[in-house]
Amino acid sequence: MQHHSILYSELIAKDFSFASVRRRLAKEPFDRANRRQNQTRTRVSMEKGGLDSAGREFKNAEEMWREQVGEHQSKKTEWYRQGVGYWEGVEASANGVLGGYGHVNEPDIMGSEAFLNTLLSERFPDAANSQRHLVVLDCGSGIGRVTKNLLIRYFNEVDLLEPVSHFLETARESLAPENHMASDMHKATNFLCVPLQEFTPEAGRYDIIWVQWCIGHLTDDDFVSFFKRAKVGLKPGGLFVLKENIARTGFVLDTEDRSITRSELYFKELFCQCGLHIYKSKDQKGLPEELFAVKMYALTTDLPKKVHRTRSKVQANRPGVIK
């Protein structure tokens, strides 16, 4: 269920003012000592409420998920079916997958490229002189927009994962050697028509697993189970890059495309449950003001060697030191 839209879905068109979303400063989202996790269902312990695209309020995420997917698999299956169904009705173009905001492609790619360059120089310095064969998985690849404009220029192989078949076929055509400046050293290798919640990667294949504008379609328990499964797909020293919309507080549920926009605190709680650690993070710049804020996270399975980095996120995120 790939969440390619980057805006408040249809909130603006429906004259839903995001100013009506609670702008209260969030308190600490969870007490680590008292965190409880049900063995069969992931629970976000933060008590911050949220709302849906019609303005309806929920007391917390658990209440929202109970209503949306319940305890029975059939209801969750329907959630995912409707999500894919929404995107099956969307044109396979940059403007389509970006929700009518095709012009944000350029600043999006520029922001991602700067973030990626930092990661490659720090984590894979041997790739600069072709001593490392770099492989990346593009999750929620859509029409191959991110692969074609960014990933294939830096990675020797790109695998594309996308459940919407006409998006994936467009990507396959666009990235074919005769239609793209590809070479044997930089190519799209596999086109996988599988949803995130059902995907398990080949063990040890990827240097980076890139997850952009799609994780909002996963329920909390499937979010956690996806990353736990996907860890096996990383090479030693590999990492995840998650780029996603960020709600100001709590969450915003889009009832049309069946997705949820989570706050930064919500994400951090889920990262903890996944056993992931933030190596670096950066805010995306240059997007229209009416859109959600967008943030990039580089996530590792091991604690960063310099632990103080993870304790000084405010300092690390000051504009003066963002590279």
Side-chain angles (χ1 to χ4, degrees):
M1 279 3 92
Q2 309 325 310
H3 183 42
H4 307 94
S5 177
I6 62 169
L7 55 161
Y8 302 147
S9 186
E10 307 301 323
L11 299 183
I12 299 170
K14 294 176 181 176
D15 293 324
F16 178 81
S17 171
F18 196 66
S20 67
V21 178
R22 296 178 182 176
R23 296 176 179 270
R24 299 191 304 270
L25 291 175
K27 297 181 180 179
E28 186 66 23
F30 56 90
D31 180 349
R32 293 177 186 269
N34 295 323
R35 184 187 297 128
R36 295 179 298 155
Q37 182 172 344
N38 189 296
Q39 291 183 349
T40 60
R41 183 175 180 180
T42 301
R43 298 182 184 277
V44 174
S45 55
M46 57 179 286
E47 292 297 322
K48 183 61 68 176
L51 72 164
D52 67 16
S53 47
R56 178 189 170 189
E57 297 186 3
F58 295 93
K59 290 185 295 184
N60 51 47
E62 184 176 345
E63 177 189 35
M64 182 274 294
W65 286 123
R66 188 185 308 116
E67 178 180 296
Q68 295 298 313
V69 301
E71 300 291 340
H72 301 289
Q73 184 61 38
S74 60
K75 198 168 183 181
K76 181 188 283 190
T77 299
E78 181 64 13
W79 162 275
Y80 288 125
R81 188 193 67 79
Q82 291 181 9
V84 167
Y86 173 87
W87 291 107
E88 286 176 340
V90 171
E91 177 184 84
S93 66
N95 203 52
V97 299
L98 292 174
Y101 281 74
H103 58 282
V104 310
N105 178 69
E106 184 174 352
D108 168 55
I109 295 299
M110 289 177 63
S112 294
E113 185 164 17
F115 192 59
L116 177 60
N117 272 317
T118 299
L119 298 177
L120 292 177
S121 64
E122 293 181 2
R123 303 285 293 194
F124 313 112
D126 53 343
N129 52 13
S130 301
Q131 292 184 1
R132 184 179 180 116
H133 186 84
L134 292 175
V135 184
V136 63
L137 174 65
D138 183 0
C139 296
S141 62
I143 62 171
R145 181 186 66 86
V146 176
T147 289
K148 185 173 185 176
N149 292 311
L150 175 64
L151 300 179
I152 205 166
R153 294 192 284 113
Y154 287 88
F155 292 85
N156 302 108
E157 294 185 67
V158 186
D159 290 347
L160 290 81
L161 178 69
E162 169 59 51
V164 180
S165 59
H166 76 290
F167 286 170
L168 196 62
E169 285 309 307
T170 298
R172 190 192 302 271
E173 293 173 10
S174 175
L175 293 164
E178 62 269 23
N179 298 325
H180 181 66
M181 296 292 291
S183 68
D184 290 339
M185 294 299 294
H186 295 272
K187 60 185 179 180
T189 303
N190 296 305
F191 296 82
L192 309 166
C193 195
V194 183
L196 282 180
Q197 73 275 10
E198 297 176 12
F199 179 73
T200 300
E202 176 186 336
R205 173 162 173 76
Y206 301 108
D207 296 280
I208 290 181
I209 295 179
W210 190 282
V211 186
Q212 179 168 349
W213 285 329
C214 61
I215 203 69
H217 282 289
L218 296 195
T219 63
D220 289 348
D221 53 340
D222 284 338
F223 180 114
V224 173
S225 63
F226 164 72
F227 278 107
K228 286 185 175 180
R229 291 194 313 275
K231 287 178 186 179
V232 303
L234 292 174
K235 296 178 185 177
L239 46 78
F240 295 99
V241 173
L242 176 67
K243 186 169 186 177
E244 193 52 81
N245 294 347
I246 304 293
R248 187 176 296 271
T249 184
F251 59 88
V252 178
L253 168 69
D254 188 321
T255 57
E256 186 169 9
D257 71 2
R258 297 298 171 184
S259 66
I260 176 176
T261 299
R262 299 170 171 97
S263 68
E264 185 166 16
L265 295 177
Y266 199 147
F267 272 120
K268 287 179 178 179
E269 164 71 356
L270 291 177
F271 295 160
C272 285
Q273 294 184 23
C274 295
L276 295 174
H277 309 279
I278 298 175
Y279 174 72
K280 280 188 181 298
S281 63
K282 186 176 182 180
D283 295 327
Q284 170 68 47
K285 304 296 184 182
L287 300 184
E289 290 183 0
E290 68 266 23
L291 303 185
F292 278 117
V294 174
K295 199 173 189 75
M296 294 170 276
Y297 297 96
L299 304 166
T300 61
T301 57
D302 300 315
L303 277 171
K305 293 182 179 179
K306 294 183 179 180
V307 179
H308 69 269
R309 282 186 178 182
T310 66
R311 295 178 179 175
S312 57
K313 299 182 185 66
V314 173
Q315 177 69 24
N317 286 329
R318 287 178 181 169
V321 296
I322 291 180
K323 297 180 180 179

